[in-house]
Amino acid sequence: MHAVRIGQGWDRHRLVPGRKLVLGGVEIPFDKGLDGHSDADVLIHAIIDAILGAIGSGDIGSHFPDNDPAWKGVSSLDLLQRVWDGARSAGYSLVNLDSTIIAEAPKIGPHRDAMRAALARVLGVEAARISIKAKTAEGCGPEGRGEAVAAEVVLLLSAHSGSG
Ligand code: MG
């Protein structure tokens, strides 16, 4: 007996000079990076919120407060690993994950497979279960003006008997 649980996540970070750009656990060559307390990986933050939403366990800010020095500069892959370890030990597995990155630049396509592989490794699934789409915002809004990058995620978890 098992049930499925849906989760949704969204995040946006400002693009600023003097920071590395890390998306989906992959460092991408670019003249700006995302500002934030951790590495500001906007895609992974949205994934973490989607997992926490699916299992009804708060949000990324309640687990990793941005005023806690323990999380300063931390790799978001490490945060994802912590959250996923918790979900998995509670009996959940990933059915599939679909995401969209909204960024005017840089181009996401050349890095898509590396991101899928990095996420699949942490989530313990084959990369085929992880989708990463990319859009520009046609010049509109903070993403369109190149001031920010945003990400949206939905995912489906399978809850095995004894959980949820
Ligand atoms: Mg964030």
Side-chain angles (χ1 to χ4, degrees):
M1 181 70 186
H2 71 277
V4 290
R5 304 283 295 256
I6 193 171
Q8 175 270 345
W10 175 91
D11 197 19
R12 170 191 281 156
H13 281 257
R14 289 189 306 124
L15 264 179
V16 297
R19 294 265 303 178
K20 287 185 200 169
L21 178 60
V22 183
L23 282 174
V26 173
E27 191 175 330
I28 295 176
F30 194 53
D31 62 352
K32 294 178 184 172
L34 295 174
D35 197 19
H37 188 66
S38 66
D39 63 6
D41 188 324
V42 70
L43 176 57
I44 291 186
H45 291 184
I47 292 171
I48 288 172
D49 264 352
I51 294 167
L52 293 172
I55 68 177
S57 180
D59 59 24
I60 189 170
S62 60
H63 287 258
F64 309 108
D66 65 7
N67 57 6
D68 184 340
W71 312 121
K72 185 166 171 52
V74 73
S75 165
S76 294
L77 278 174
D78 292 345
L79 303 183
L80 178 61
Q81 183 79 66
R82 285 167 183 264
V83 168
W84 187 240
D85 284 349
R88 196 152 44 182
S89 63
Y92 294 97
S93 60
L94 179 67
V95 177
N96 76 304
L97 180 160
D98 187 21
S99 66
T100 303
I101 297 171
I102 303 105
E104 212 66 12
K107 287 257 178 273
I108 302 301
H111 309 285
R112 187 196 319 265
D113 286 343
M115 294 183 202
R116 294 173 77 203
L119 295 170
R121 232 176 351 257
V122 170
L123 296 171
V125 295
E126 62 273 32
R129 290 177 186 250
I130 296 172
S131 158
I132 300 173
K133 308 186 303 298
K135 302 187 80 67
T136 69
E138 300 275 340
C140 299
E143 292 83 15
R145 290 189 297 269
E147 298 167 1
V149 174
E152 300 186 0
V153 171
V154 292
L155 52 73
L156 202 63
L157 302 185
S158 176
H160 301 286
S161 61
S163 66

